Amino acid sequence: MKIEVERDKFLSNLEVYHHLCGVQVKNSWLSDSKGTKRRKNTNLAQLESISRDLTSYLGKVGSCPSDHERLQKNYAWDSDSFVEALKRLNQYPLEKIEKLQILNFVPRTMVTLYSLIEECDQRFDQAQSEEILGIVNDCFPMEAVEGEDEEQQDITMD
Amino acid sequence: MFQLSVISDLIRISPHIFNLPTDEAVLNELNEKYANKVIHNLGLVVTIWDISKIEDGMLKPGDGCTYIKVVFRCVVWKPFVGEVLTGWIDQASEQGLKVKLEFFNDIFIPGDYLFEGSVFSKEDNAWIWQPDESTKLYLDVNEKINFRVEEEMFTNVKPKGPTNTVVDDETGEKKESVPPYAIVGSCQTDGMGCVSWWE
């Protein structure tokens, strides 16, 4: 094994999420009923476990749809809101990595935005910061977060 | 943060999967070998993203397998120092907090890296942050928290040899197995700690 390029590109959480969904669908790991579950390749247990755990994690944080949303949408993926958010964020002098963090993390409050952007108070004034939060809110509406909270409660109750 | 890394490797394809198309067989072998594994000084490989190049297979006398050189890109999870991550508190102890992310659980926040004025309470089995006299904020187990990555540690884990029955159990006592990849986090700035505190 030889590592040719350590970091070729950065990926957003959503891209990883979508790729993993594709892997899961391809291997038909998603069907719940055991009867229809056909195991073509049992050697891929590690891949199955990490794709399951990672999609469930990504569904609970940030911009990715949660598990039940995914079911509703029948695993369809739309990147429109994501692309739009990126386009609108491009107006601001943000570093690439900061934009990526904003899109991964989806900050809802000023405090979280400040924690993602270095020296936010010096680089942006109050109004600009609020605009950035506004973009995030427009493109990734809050409903998703409420769904998350419910899930969260379910987990803690368990 | 996820990234794509380009890796080249020589893959061994056993005869029992010769019936599959080459790219599918290679992809399966690669996923089997790399998925959910830590590469030293690189990060946690999640899955194969795509295969860039598959060379012709080579044969070895006395071996029924083919050996194929492939160049591929894989998805690697490697948070950078300073990145903010969200996780759930797994365990609390006097030393600090253990945080889990479902797919990756070797994250530790030492007590010194928690907010100033945090104390560990044995009765509650939780860390408590007292920003002022009257407020007590609990970092309970299973609470969703934000933390900042401070340090990453790779340990070269060697494969385990056969168990030596001659050697006494004393040496073979339960050693804490060292994870190949561990992350040290901190909760010291605004926005860190329980997500619910800042909403």
Side-chain angles (χ1 to χ4, degrees):
Chain A
M1 187 198 82
K2 190 180 161 214
I3 297 165
E4 305 278 350
V5 187
E6 201 166 298
R7 182 181 290 148
D8 192 25
K9 280 186 178 75
F10 277 116
L11 289 174
S12 66
N13 285 3
L14 199 67
E15 283 167 299
V16 174
Y17 184 82
H18 178 234
H19 184 74
L20 286 176
C21 291
V23 169
Q24 287 179 319
V25 170
K26 197 178 135 207
N27 289 288
S28 50
W29 285 329
L30 290 165
S31 48
D32 294 324
S33 50
K34 286 206 171 78
T36 54
K37 202 171 184 175
R38 94 200 133 95
R39 291 206 167 248
K40 218 166 108 187
N41 199 335
T42 46
N43 298 334
L44 296 178
Q46 287 291 329
L47 180 64
E48 183 175 0
S49 70
I50 194 162
S51 53
R52 186 190 55 229
D53 294 346
L54 192 52
T55 46
S56 121
Y57 170 74
L58 292 177
K60 283 177 201 157
V61 296
S63 52
C64 300
S66 57
D67 279 347
H68 68 264
E69 265 183 282
R70 193 153 64 117
L71 273 173
Q72 278 169 3
K73 286 179 185 162
N74 209 12
Y75 311 115
W77 185 60
D78 74 298
S79 54
D80 297 351
S81 57
F82 194 80
V83 174
E84 199 203 317
L86 189 58
K87 273 188 193 150
R88 287 171 65 182
L89 284 176
N90 280 338
Q91 315 161 32
Y92 302 95
L94 288 162
E95 295 293 327
K96 194 177 165 192
I97 197 92
E98 288 168 338
K99 282 183 269 192
L100 190 53
Q101 273 220 288
I102 291 177
L103 292 174
N104 281 345
F105 205 87
V106 193
R108 303 283 181 197
T109 53
M110 204 59 94
V111 167
T112 37
L113 185 70
Y114 272 48
S115 69
L116 295 180
I117 302 176
E118 241 173 88
E119 293 170 344
C120 189
D121 48 345
Q122 285 159 37
R123 288 164 57 194
F124 302 104
D125 55 34
Q126 185 83 12
Q128 280 178 315
S129 312
E130 264 163 28
E131 274 164 34
I132 295 177
L133 285 178
I135 293 173
V136 171
N137 256 329
D138 287 352
C139 299
F140 308 103
M142 273 304 237
E143 284 96 71
V145 173
E146 279 162 28
E148 256 174 50
D149 284 347
E150 279 164 29
E151 272 195 6
Q152 189 62 26
Q153 278 166 9
D154 289 348
I155 290 161
T156 42
M157 276 163 77
D158 287 345
Chain B
M1 191 77 68
F2 296 95
Q3 65 183 49
L4 283 178
S5 301
V6 183
I7 297 177
S8 65
D9 200 0
L10 190 71
I11 288 291
R12 182 176 184 262
I13 306 282
S14 316
H16 77 273
I17 46 173
F18 280 177
N19 60 326
L20 295 174
T22 313
D23 50 348
E24 201 176 310
V26 167
L27 187 66
N28 274 346
E29 286 298 305
L30 286 175
N31 268 327
E32 196 185 327
K33 184 170 175 185
Y34 287 100
N36 210 358
K37 303 280 196 306
V38 171
I39 296 183
H40 194 62
N41 285 341
L42 186 69
L44 173 73
V45 178
V46 176
T47 179
I48 308 301
W49 184 262
D50 58 6
I51 299 172
S52 333
K53 198 168 143 198
I54 301 180
E55 286 186 8
D56 289 336
M58 290 176 287
L59 297 173
K60 202 167 145 190
D63 190 339
C65 306
T66 58
Y67 291 81
I68 303 179
K69 196 179 176 221
V70 286
V71 181
F72 61 94
R73 293 196 293 176
C74 55
V75 182
V76 174
W77 184 73
K78 181 192 170 70
F80 58 88
V81 171
E83 186 177 340
V84 179
L85 291 172
T86 308
W88 288 265
I89 297 174
D90 191 24
Q91 281 167 25
S93 67
E94 269 172 68
Q95 283 81 42
L97 295 171
K98 225 177 153 266
V99 180
K100 62 177 175 189
L101 302 183
E102 295 194 24
F103 67 100
F104 184 86
N105 299 328
D106 297 313
I107 299 169
F108 188 69
I109 305 176
D112 300 346
Y113 282 8
L114 290 171
F115 290 104
E116 232 168 86
S118 296
V119 280
F120 181 71
S121 145
K122 261 193 181 150
E123 297 98 75
D124 301 311
N125 191 29
W127 279 83
I128 302 166
W129 177 36
Q130 288 166 295
D132 51 55
E133 284 299 307
S134 51
T135 13
K136 267 187 172 184
L137 292 167
Y138 284 76
L139 283 158
D140 282 321
V141 171
N142 278 333
E143 209 60 74
K144 189 177 182 182
I145 66 161
N146 290 337
F147 59 95
R148 199 178 282 280
V149 177
E150 289 292 330
E151 201 184 331
E152 46 179 15
M153 290 186 296
F154 284 98
T155 325
N156 207 346
V157 182
K158 298 194 176 69
K160 250 189 246 155
T163 42
N164 196 341
T165 43
V166 182
V167 179
D168 251 354
D169 272 358
E170 280 172 43
T171 50
E173 258 180 63
K174 254 198 168 176
K175 268 192 221 158
E176 278 277 310
S177 60
V178 187
Y181 184 30
I183 285 173
V184 178
S186 75
C187 283
Q188 280 175 322
T189 47
D190 286 351
M192 301 300 116
C194 286
V195 175
S196 49
W197 297 349
W198 304 100
E199 273 168 3

